[in-house]
Amino acid sequence: MASTVTPGVAEHPDGAREQPSSPGFGVDSAGDARRRRDLRKMKAVATGFLVFAALVYLLTRFIEHRDGDDVAAWVGFVQAASEAGMVGALADWFAVTALFRHPLGIPIPHTALIRKKKDDIGDQLGGFIEENFMTPDVVVRRAEQIDLPRRLSTWVADPKNAPRISAEAARAIQLASEMLRDEDVEQLIQAALKWAAEPEWAPPTGRILEQLIAEDRLEPVFQMLCDRAHEWALGSQDLIDRVVDRDGPQWTPRFVNVLVGDKIHRELVEFTHKVQNNPDHELRRAMHEFVEKFATDLQHDPEMIARFENIKTELIGRDEVTGAASTAWKTGKAVIEQMLDDPNSTLRNTLADSIIQLATRIRDDRPLQEKMNGWVARVAHHVAVNYSQEIISVITDTVRGWDADDTSRKIELQVGQDLQFIRINGTVVGALAGLAIHTISVLIFH
């Protein structure tokens, strides 16, 4: 009977065992331990059939030797059945054992087949999958049958799955955040600022201003400035009084300064009020003219362009700018991670709601599903045509990387229990065949 060896563990002559080194298999799982126990039991049962047949054969030989010519007729039948049963049991034991190791440790040709043919098995398995499962027609047909957009959108749109969607979305963002090292992001920011500073900003900025002016998009900005100026003028009395007292003539009486300050305040309030409420005020027109001229100079005045570019270069090149960007990234990252850790945070709830809304739209829009099914089929066809070899190589290369002994033991652990039935059946079938042959011989020659 073949000895039982723990898959993935090398056994030494002194009985000590060492941990596996093969990358293909790690420490046995609880399921492996259960299968190992079941395999031991089945091996014991199969060996029990062989032992039983041997004992019956020895018993019939003893009776035959003891009784001589007076031996009972039934003894020959039982002896033939037990002898053939032993032969069948031994032959099937040899066949089953030869799949995984050399029987009795003897290097008989065409034994230990799994160990010797491991790489061939991986290649044949990969070839079988490639020929029968990775053909473009099969992959595309299966991709269309799955109807992935409908299934996925239906599951995501189900409200009971919202907690899991929120958790998975948060986990995905956290994973992306973990993958982005702060040093890498800082380098990216610096590279982006450097890239952004290379082209001239002045002409594009001028064209944008020109377009905004043509579309009258700057008028709300001017109105806001006028509103803020008038609000400031209304509350500027104290400031005006302090300026008049400080900068006015020292010999003027106090009441004169008060009168001057009140006059300045009233005039300022009245002036800003007029500018605020009269879109055609000359100051408003001057503001428009200034912006128009500025937009033109940014595009065509070399001196203005040079000054603008110098300001840009000085601004972007300052350490405070890159440092502020890095600080903003670190602070934003910390805030996002903190919000993602809270299951009830606004960010997580917003993410989940957005995903569910998108899934609901897809679920209720069958034409959109059909279009998405077409996308899936096209992607599947592209993968099958261009990357089937790479996918199959995952199987073949993985099998090649397995240790031959570990592979043999692992496969024996998975299918060995069923193979023991071959040994049992060999004993029973052999016994029946031997009995039938003996019976036919008796009928023919006696």
Side-chain angles (χ1 to χ4, degrees):
M1 173 181 173
S3 61
T4 301
V5 182
T6 304
V9 177
E11 189 170 26
H12 296 281
D14 59 359
R17 294 187 176 184
E18 61 182 12
Q19 292 301 321
S21 59
S22 169
F25 306 112
V27 179
D28 291 338
S29 63
D32 288 340
R34 175 181 55 79
R35 282 187 286 270
R36 187 179 303 106
R37 291 192 299 269
D38 294 341
L39 179 57
R40 289 195 187 108
K41 292 178 182 178
M42 288 307 304
K43 284 185 175 182
V45 171
T47 303
F49 273 72
L50 172 59
V51 172
F52 177 76
L55 291 175
V56 171
Y57 175 76
L58 292 175
L59 177 60
T60 57
R61 293 290 294 174
F62 170 75
I63 295 174
E64 184 181 48
H65 176 73
R66 183 194 63 185
D67 295 345
D69 295 336
D70 296 330
V71 66
W74 61 268
V75 174
F77 290 91
V78 175
Q79 184 182 95
S82 61
E83 182 176 11
M86 284 193 301
V87 173
L90 290 171
D92 286 339
W93 165 82
F94 182 91
V96 170
T97 304
L99 289 173
F100 307 103
R101 62 183 62 82
H102 298 300
L104 300 177
I106 302 173
I108 302 172
H110 305 292
T111 59
L113 297 178
I114 299 297
R115 299 183 187 182
K116 295 179 180 179
K117 299 292 185 180
K118 171 182 67 69
D119 293 346
D120 293 339
I121 292 174
D123 293 339
Q124 292 172 7
L125 177 61
F128 175 79
I129 294 176
E130 182 179 9
E131 294 175 1
N132 295 275
F133 297 95
M134 289 301 298
T135 61
D137 292 341
V138 172
V139 171
V140 170
R141 182 167 62 252
R142 184 56 182 163
E144 293 174 345
Q145 292 174 350
I146 291 176
D147 199 6
L148 184 61
R150 181 188 62 80
R151 291 188 179 185
L152 184 59
S153 62
T154 300
W155 185 88
V156 174
D158 192 339
K160 69 180 182 181
N161 296 321
R164 183 173 178 182
I165 295 170
S166 174
E168 292 297 336
R171 189 175 296 112
I173 296 177
Q174 288 174 336
L175 179 60
S177 176
E178 292 173 359
M179 294 173 62
L180 294 174
R181 298 186 305 170
D182 292 342
E183 297 83 358
D184 296 336
V185 174
E186 290 175 2
Q187 293 179 0
L188 178 63
I189 292 174
Q190 294 174 0
L193 290 175
K194 182 179 179 181
W195 172 82
E198 289 181 355
E200 286 188 340
W201 283 16
T205 304
R207 287 193 293 271
I208 293 173
L209 279 176
E210 200 171 59
Q211 184 67 27
L212 293 175
I213 294 171
E215 297 177 0
D216 202 20
R217 298 291 183 87
L218 293 181
E219 184 59 33
V221 178
F222 294 151
Q223 184 62 50
M224 180 189 67
L225 294 175
C226 294
D227 293 340
R228 295 295 179 270
H230 182 64
E231 292 174 4
W232 177 85
L234 291 173
S236 65
Q237 180 69 68
D238 293 338
L239 175 61
I240 293 174
D241 290 341
R242 287 196 304 272
V243 172
V244 172
D245 289 340
R246 184 189 65 196
D247 298 336
Q250 296 297 324
W251 50 266
T252 56
R254 169 68 180 170
F255 75 92
V256 173
N257 289 341
V258 172
L259 292 175
V260 172
D262 290 343
K263 177 65 174 177
I264 293 174
H265 180 257
R266 286 195 302 272
E267 292 294 336
L268 181 62
V269 170
E270 183 179 356
F271 178 76
T272 55
H273 178 73
K274 291 178 179 178
V275 175
Q276 178 189 25
N277 293 279
N278 183 9
D280 198 38
H281 192 278
E282 60 184 22
L283 180 60
R284 297 276 284 264
R285 292 199 305 270
M287 294 170 63
H288 280 278
E289 292 173 358
F290 170 80
V291 174
E292 290 174 0
K293 185 176 185 306
F294 183 61
T296 302
D297 291 344
L298 285 176
Q299 298 179 72
H300 307 293
D301 186 358
E303 183 179 355
M304 177 62 72
I305 294 175
R307 291 171 59 187
F308 191 89
E309 294 300 322
N310 289 335
I311 295 174
K312 176 202 70 175
T313 303
E314 182 179 357
L315 176 63
I316 293 180
R318 296 181 65 86
D319 294 336
E320 292 83 351
V321 175
T322 57
S326 300
T327 302
W329 157 253
K330 294 178 181 178
T331 303
K333 177 182 176 182
V335 172
I336 291 174
E337 290 178 346
Q338 183 178 2
M339 295 181 69
L340 291 175
D341 289 335
D342 182 7
N344 298 317
S345 67
T346 303
L347 177 59
R348 287 187 59 164
N349 291 334
T350 302
L351 280 174
D353 292 342
S354 300
I355 295 173
I356 292 174
Q357 290 176 5
L358 177 62
T360 302
R361 178 187 173 188
I362 296 174
R363 181 197 62 187
D364 299 336
D365 191 341
R366 187 57 190 173
L368 179 58
Q369 293 176 21
E370 295 292 345
K371 182 181 294 185
M372 296 178 70
N373 274 326
W375 299 342
V376 172
R378 290 175 61 185
V379 171
H381 182 273
H382 178 77
V383 171
V385 171
N386 297 282
Y387 300 102
S388 60
Q389 289 291 336
E390 285 76 6
I391 296 173
I392 298 303
S393 68
V394 174
I395 299 174
T396 57
D397 293 346
T398 300
V399 174
R400 288 180 181 276
W402 289 346
D403 179 79
D405 291 337
D406 288 347
T407 304
S408 177
R409 291 164 186 161
K410 193 71 172 180
I411 294 176
E412 182 183 13
L413 185 63
Q414 298 296 323
V415 302
Q417 185 178 354
D418 294 327
L419 293 178
Q420 299 311 307
F421 282 103
I422 295 178
R423 295 176 57 193
I424 295 172
N425 293 336
T427 307
V428 175
V429 173
L432 294 175
L435 178 60
I437 293 172
H438 183 76
T439 301
I440 294 172
S441 299
V442 170
L443 292 176
I444 293 176
F445 297 106
H446 292 79

